[in-house]
């Protein structure tokens, strides 16, 4: 097995390489003057089982194109099997026709990756589970749940854990929230969220009695921070004791950091699927936990033809 990092995921790839105790493949990823991407794999990969680690995080178009070009280089270099490890799968939120004459980009991107020559995909907390079926190649969708579970156990005492209420910030996240709540035998609440227009969210109702409870909001993505900060405010308005959030993918577009800093939230915990700029790393209310061991172990299991689902038993 050999692993290769795209430019969007160098920090995470280095951590995964440490977990697996293998070096990263030497590769040049450069730009021509007109910004077209050039890739050269600097070692022999003929007949190898290759894992490309690359999040299609912002700028999503550039990183997606880079992934396709790396796959093409590996196909032409006669790699035996190519797995696209996409810790954050961008373009996933357009997973159905939201209106007349609109695209389904989650499917389009799956087609592009498959057509480029990937044999498998490994990803984490897809925006919607059914996107797995948009790929006509084997696709493993990991969950950050065990990483979050361990962190919560470290942060909250046994007594404090009895007062936790897990909260889904919209109806789409209920399954994910219920799964983690079950691990703690805790209650769940649901936010009735509406989007008057793209990029704006509005809380209509809080379903569940959150008075006096330590609320933990779970979500797959924090982008502009509107969904999360509005949900946190609504929970505090309903008498919650405090609000923390565990979000898998920290997209954190402007003005998310500012919103979080000025919000009622105690802390926002994200994972390292997306490399963060200094402004995020310096924000006292944002903390990152690593998914490198989880992804590293999944890569090891895929390479050895072992069960991946066993990781979540
Ligand atoms: C929506 O369905 C997602 O799960 C997130 O809640 C959403 O993408 C977050 O976006 P924002 O932070 O811009 O409100």
């Amino acid at each position: 097995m050999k692993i290769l990092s795209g430019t969007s995921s160098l920090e995470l790839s280095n951590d995964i390489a440490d977990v697996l105790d293998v070096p990263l493949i030497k590769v040049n990823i450069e730009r021509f003057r007109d910004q077209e991407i050039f890739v050269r794999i600097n070692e022999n990969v003929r007949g190898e089982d290759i894992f490309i680690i690359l999040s299609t995080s912002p700028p999503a178009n550039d990183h997606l194109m880079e992934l396709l070009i790396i796959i093409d280089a590996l196909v032409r270099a006669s790699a035996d099997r190519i797995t696209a490890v996409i810790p954050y799968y961008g373009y996933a939120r357009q997973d159905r026709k939201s209106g007349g004459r609109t695209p389904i980009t989650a499917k389009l991107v799956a087609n592009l990756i498959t057509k480029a020559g990937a044999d498998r995909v490994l990803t984490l907390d897809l925006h919607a589970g059914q996107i797995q079926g948009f790929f006509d190649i084997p696709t493993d969708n990991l969950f950050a749940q065990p990483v979050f579970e361990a962190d919560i156990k470290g942060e909250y005492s046994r007594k404090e854990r009895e007062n936790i209420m897990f909260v889904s910030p919209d109806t789409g996240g209920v399954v994910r929230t219920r799964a983690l709540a079950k691990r703690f035998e805790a209650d769940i609440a649901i936010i009735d969220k509406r989007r008057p227009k793209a990029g704006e969210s509005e809380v209509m109702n809080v379903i569940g009695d959150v008075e006096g409870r330590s609320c933990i909001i779970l979500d797959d993505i924090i982008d502009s921070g509107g969904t999360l900060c509005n949900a946190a405010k609504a929970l505090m308005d309903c008498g919650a004791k405090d609000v923390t959030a565990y979000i898998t993918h920290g997209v954190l577009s402007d003005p998310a950091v500012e919103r979080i800093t000025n919000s009622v939230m105690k802390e926002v915990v994200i994972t390292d699927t997306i490399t963060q700029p200094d402004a995020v790393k310096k924000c006292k209310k944002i903390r990152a936990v690593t998914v490198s061991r989880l992804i590293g172990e999944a890569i090891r299991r895929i390479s050895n033809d072992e069960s991946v689902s066993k990781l979540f038993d």
Side-chain angles (χ1 to χ4, degrees), residues 93 127 169-170 172 176 193 195 199-201 219-228 256 259:
R93 283 175 284 178
H127 177 61
D170 50 35
R176 184 181 306 114
K193 174 183 99 175
R195 273 206 191 277
E200 271 181 30
S201 74
D219 209 349
D220 59 329
I221 298 171
I222 174 167
D223 189 348
S224 67
T227 300
L228 184 62
R259 276 181 173 159

Side-chain angles (χ1 to χ4, degrees), residues 3-293:
I3 58 175
L4 182 160
S5 177
T7 54
S8 65
S9 302
L10 263 173
E11 286 178 23
L12 177 61
S13 300
N14 275 315
D15 290 345
I16 294 172
D18 285 347
V19 168
L20 291 168
D21 201 18
V22 294
L24 292 175
I25 290 179
K26 292 185 182 60
V27 57
N28 284 2
I29 302 172
E30 291 163 11
R31 297 284 180 139
F32 291 111
R33 289 174 75 93
D34 62 358
Q35 296 305 305
E36 286 183 6
I37 298 166
F38 168 74
V39 170
R40 186 197 302 274
I41 316 286
N42 286 326
E43 58 188 86
N44 180 25
V45 290
R46 193 176 288 273
E48 298 281 2
D49 187 16
I50 310 280
F51 294 80
I52 310 164
I53 304 169
L54 188 159
S55 280
T56 48
S57 49
N61 302 340
D62 285 4
H63 290 145
L64 173 60
M65 201 60 211
E66 183 183 311
L67 175 63
L68 301 177
I69 293 172
I70 295 172
I71 294 172
D72 188 69
L74 288 168
V75 167
R76 292 174 198 285
S78 305
D80 184 41
R81 185 172 70 166
I82 301 166
T83 303
V85 181
I86 312 171
Y88 169 65
Y89 183 71
Y91 274 117
R93 283 175 284 178
Q94 298 179 64
D95 58 358
R96 63 193 174 282
K97 283 191 74 165
S98 57
R101 301 169 298 285
T102 58
I104 303 180
T105 58
K107 171 64 179 160
L108 169 66
V109 171
N111 285 347
L112 290 171
I113 292 168
T114 309
K115 195 71 189 164
D119 297 294
R120 311 184 55 95
V121 169
L122 172 63
T123 185
L124 178 85
D125 276 344
L126 279 170
H127 177 61
Q130 60 270 24
I131 295 171
Q132 202 172 10
F134 290 5
F135 289 90
D136 290 328
I137 50 178
T139 298
D140 292 296
N141 180 28
L142 306 176
F143 308 106
Q145 182 192 304
V147 177
F148 287 162
E149 184 182 336
D151 194 78
I152 292 167
K153 283 182 177 157
E155 292 292 310
Y156 293 75
S157 69
R158 202 173 279 272
K159 185 93 193 108
E160 287 167 334
R161 294 208 290 265
E162 285 170 14
N163 193 39
I164 291 177
M165 187 155 212
F166 288 93
V167 181
S168 175
D170 50 35
T171 46
V174 173
V175 173
R176 184 181 306 114
T177 305
R178 204 185 296 283
L180 189 57
K182 207 168 148 199
R183 308 284 300 179
F184 288 90
E185 293 178 14
D187 299 326
I188 72 164
I190 301 165
I191 307 274
D192 174 20
K193 174 183 99 175
R194 302 279 153 84
R195 273 206 191 277
K197 56 180 177 183
E200 271 181 30
S201 74
E202 221 173 83
V203 171
M204 307 306 287
N205 286 300
V206 174
I207 304 165
D209 182 5
V210 297
E211 191 160 357
R213 308 294 292 269
S214 286
C215 292
I216 297 183
I217 302 175
L218 290 179
D219 209 349
D220 59 329
I221 298 171
I222 174 167
D223 189 348
S224 67
T227 300
L228 184 62
C229 295
N230 289 345
K233 182 173 180 309
L235 292 168
M236 290 304 281
D237 289 347
C238 288
K241 181 167 171 271
D242 48 54
V243 181
T244 300
Y246 280 76
I247 318 275
T248 309
H249 307 294
V251 175
L252 295 167
S253 316
D254 263 350
V257 176
E258 192 187 327
R259 276 181 173 159
I260 292 168
T261 306
N262 299 328
S263 75
V264 292
M265 264 174 302
K266 264 192 359 182
E267 188 175 44
V268 176
V269 181
I270 56 173
T271 76
D272 52 356
T273 55
I274 297 177
T275 306
Q276 298 299 343
D278 281 349
V280 173
K281 287 180 180 161
K282 282 186 191 146
C283 177
K284 290 195 167 57
K285 281 196 179 180
I286 303 176
R287 178 166 62 88
V289 291
T290 187
V291 287
S292 56
R293 274 180 295 279

